[in-house]
Amino acid sequence: RGLSFRVRSVGWGLTIHETRSMSSRVATSGPRGGAAGIPAARHNVWMRTHGWAGATPPTDDDEASKRIVVAAGELMDAGAGGVNIRQVAQRLGVARQTVYRYFPDTKALLSATAQHATDEFLADLARSLQGLTDPADAIVEAIALTFERLRQHRRFGLLFAEAEHGRFTAEVTSPQAIAMGRVIVEHLDVDWAAHGWVEDDMDELVEVMLRFVQSLLVDPRELTRTPVELREFLHRWIGVAIAAKSINP
């Protein structure tokens, strides 16, 4: 009973679609009857409110699934390797059956975690890059912010890698990574056409951006640089090339 995934860009985001909806999973992935004598009609409520490590139980299925996804991201940020349903259930203080009620397997959970990280990352990037209309300034800031967010929050590595792998550096030119890069550059406040950039230029720009972020992550020499110094470094070696390629509109 496999799940297939496809990725498409919508506005500022990448949407990861599954062959079944969340509501369908909730309705079909768990046991058909009740638990511990609880009628089937009340079973979803029991599964949602049981446990949760003493915290206030979620009020509905959407909140429950969000807590599960957030917990998976927190485990990744903490350095946990091979995050799976058992680890997430332990972190939340619930039975594995509760997590399975919302996610049929670890791959589905990681895909949902990637989607949540995507929304969070792009919303933050949109706020930070708003108003930058010069190509060199915008790309330098986009590279710096992407690198800083990936270093600070490991869950964001899922944006540029297949969810089942979870390694950005191994997937730097994957279709998902390229699609994410295109979403970033195409939604900057830069009039690329007016600056003389064409479609092939944009593809190469995205590849250069991703490879540069990869190199910073693999060998983080920048640990001796302040955020300002990092941006000055990027302007000297990346910004000048983009400025030379661009024409003044």
Side-chain angles (χ1 to χ4, degrees):
R1 186 178 62 180
L3 290 175
S4 61
F5 299 86
R6 61 188 177 87
V7 181
R8 66 185 178 90
S9 62
V10 180
W12 248 101
L14 287 179
T15 303
I16 300 174
H17 294 274
E18 300 183 19
T19 53
R20 292 182 294 162
S21 65
M22 177 74 74
S23 60
S24 174
R25 285 202 307 273
V26 172
T28 63
S29 62
R32 294 181 180 276
I38 297 175
R42 296 173 53 203
H43 187 61
N44 274 2
V45 176
W46 182 85
M47 292 290 289
R48 189 177 65 240
T49 59
H50 187 69
W52 301 97
T56 303
T59 57
D60 55 31
D61 288 333
D62 286 340
E63 183 183 348
S65 61
K66 182 177 180 180
R67 285 199 196 182
I68 293 168
V69 165
V70 168
E74 290 172 346
L75 284 168
M76 292 177 188
D77 285 349
V83 172
N84 56 42
I85 285 177
R86 177 184 59 80
Q87 292 173 308
V88 172
Q90 288 178 342
R91 183 175 182 85
L92 290 170
V94 299
R96 280 182 291 178
Q97 187 181 18
T98 301
V99 181
Y100 279 119
R101 191 75 185 176
Y102 300 95
F103 301 98
D105 52 35
T106 296
K107 183 176 180 179
L109 173 58
L110 291 180
S111 293
T113 305
Q115 181 64 67
H116 185 265
T118 297
D119 295 341
E120 184 182 0
F121 177 84
L122 290 178
D124 174 54
L125 208 61
R127 289 190 299 268
S128 301
L129 299 175
Q130 187 174 9
L132 293 178
T133 59
D134 178 77
D137 291 342
I139 293 302
V140 163
E141 189 63 20
I143 293 174
L145 285 174
T146 298
F147 165 68
E148 290 167 348
R149 299 299 186 268
L150 286 170
R151 190 183 65 180
Q152 294 165 0
H153 305 288
R154 296 187 181 187
R155 67 184 181 277
F156 289 149
L158 290 175
L159 277 65
F160 302 94
E162 296 296 335
E164 59 187 318
H165 297 153
R167 297 191 303 273
F168 167 64
T169 55
E171 305 286 349
V172 67
T173 58
S174 70
Q176 181 160 328
I178 295 296
M180 172 61 69
R182 287 299 298 258
V183 168
I184 292 172
V185 299
E186 289 173 359
H187 290 83
L188 294 170
D189 291 340
V190 176
D191 188 342
W192 293 105
H195 284 281
W197 290 70
V198 298
E199 190 72 12
D200 288 344
D201 297 331
M202 302 301 289
D203 287 339
E204 290 184 354
L205 173 63
V206 168
E207 181 180 349
V208 169
M209 289 175 61
L210 293 177
R211 291 191 183 280
F212 211 92
V213 172
Q214 180 192 40
S215 69
L216 290 172
L217 290 169
V218 171
D219 187 11
R221 158 69 171 78
E222 91 307 330
L223 290 178
T224 61
R225 294 190 179 100
T226 66
V228 171
E229 290 170 338
L230 173 61
R231 285 156 176 80
E232 290 174 345
F233 168 72
L234 292 172
H235 264 294
R236 282 194 297 274
W237 301 106
I238 297 294
V240 292
I242 294 173
K245 173 70 179 69
S246 303
I247 61 175
N248 291 324

